[in-house]
Amino acid sequence: MSKIKSFLILLISVFCVINAETEKSNLKVIDRFDSLEGWKILSEGITIDKTSGVKKSCIVLNYEFKGMVEWVVVSKEFDELNLPANFKFSFYIKGEGEYNNLEFKLLDNKGNVFWKKWEYFKFPDEWQKIELKKSDITFAWGPQLTAKL
């Protein structure tokens, strides 16, 4: 079982996310977005808000890129998220903007980073469900070069 301290979502467009989950029979909602408590903005010129999503609430990032190298990062830390051996994250996304990179990151309590990176991601106009299985998330960097989820 893996223990994740926090997760980062790097998004380069307006988006909404809902319900990270394991198998349907063992659903564990990580955040219902009933409030914005705990969400941190790690970029300048960004606002975060709540709105209606696919199921209930979701978060929205508003920003305007004015230069060549800009990025949007939001993060939320959890006391400890115990992931089962065969987990899956699932969320819905939509947005506006040009093709860009989308990154989903998990950080463990030792400072190791695990991620899924989509290059040239086009944010859909309508809600699209994204599912990330354990095998989709790889070690990105950190102090333990052989760290595993």
Side-chain angles (χ1 to χ4, degrees), residues 7-58:
F7 69 91
L8 292 175
I9 305 171
L10 171 58
L11 298 174
I12 312 300
S13 193
V14 178
F15 82 106
C16 293
V17 178
I18 236 180
N19 294 351
E21 59 185 88
T22 59
E23 294 300 322
K24 298 249 185 260
S25 61
N26 190 20
L27 178 68
K28 178 176 182 178
V29 178
I30 294 173
D31 194 334
R32 293 188 188 281
F33 303 106
D34 295 331
S35 81
L36 297 175
E37 185 177 339
W39 283 97
K40 296 178 187 170
I41 298 171
L42 305 176
S43 309
E44 292 184 23
I46 311 302
T47 61
I48 188 171
D49 204 355
K50 283 186 351 170
T51 192
S52 298
V54 171
K55 297 188 179 185
K56 289 192 178 185
S57 296
C58 68

Side-chain angles (χ1 to χ4, degrees), residues 30-129:
I30 294 173
D31 194 334
R32 293 188 188 281
F33 303 106
D34 295 331
S35 81
L36 297 175
E37 185 177 339
W39 283 97
K40 296 178 187 170
I41 298 171
L42 305 176
S43 309
E44 292 184 23
I46 311 302
T47 61
I48 188 171
D49 204 355
K50 283 186 351 170
T51 192
S52 298
V54 171
K55 297 188 179 185
K56 289 192 178 185
S57 296
C58 68
I59 59 175
V60 178
L61 297 180
N62 296 297
Y63 62 91
E64 182 178 342
F65 287 157
K66 295 180 181 177
M68 292 297 292
V69 180
E70 294 188 84
W71 40 273
V72 175
V73 178
V74 294
S75 172
K76 184 165 185 176
E77 188 169 324
F78 296 88
D79 290 333
E80 210 164 81
L81 182 61
N82 293 315
L83 299 175
N86 190 21
F87 65 85
K88 174 176 67 174
F89 285 93
S90 173
F91 56 90
Y92 292 89
I93 191 167
K94 79 172 184 175
E96 301 172 11
E98 301 297 321
Y99 285 87
N100 219 311
N101 293 343
L102 169 67
E103 299 176 7
F104 177 90
K105 295 179 183 174
L106 301 168
L107 289 73
D108 68 15
N109 56 6
K110 295 180 176 104
N112 298 297
V113 178
F114 304 87
W115 71 349
K116 168 65 177 168
K117 181 178 181 178
W118 297 266
E119 292 187 2
Y120 308 108
F121 185 85
K122 177 66 175 153
F123 286 83
D125 296 334
E126 300 297 323
W127 289 108
Q128 177 181 325
K129 186 173 187 177

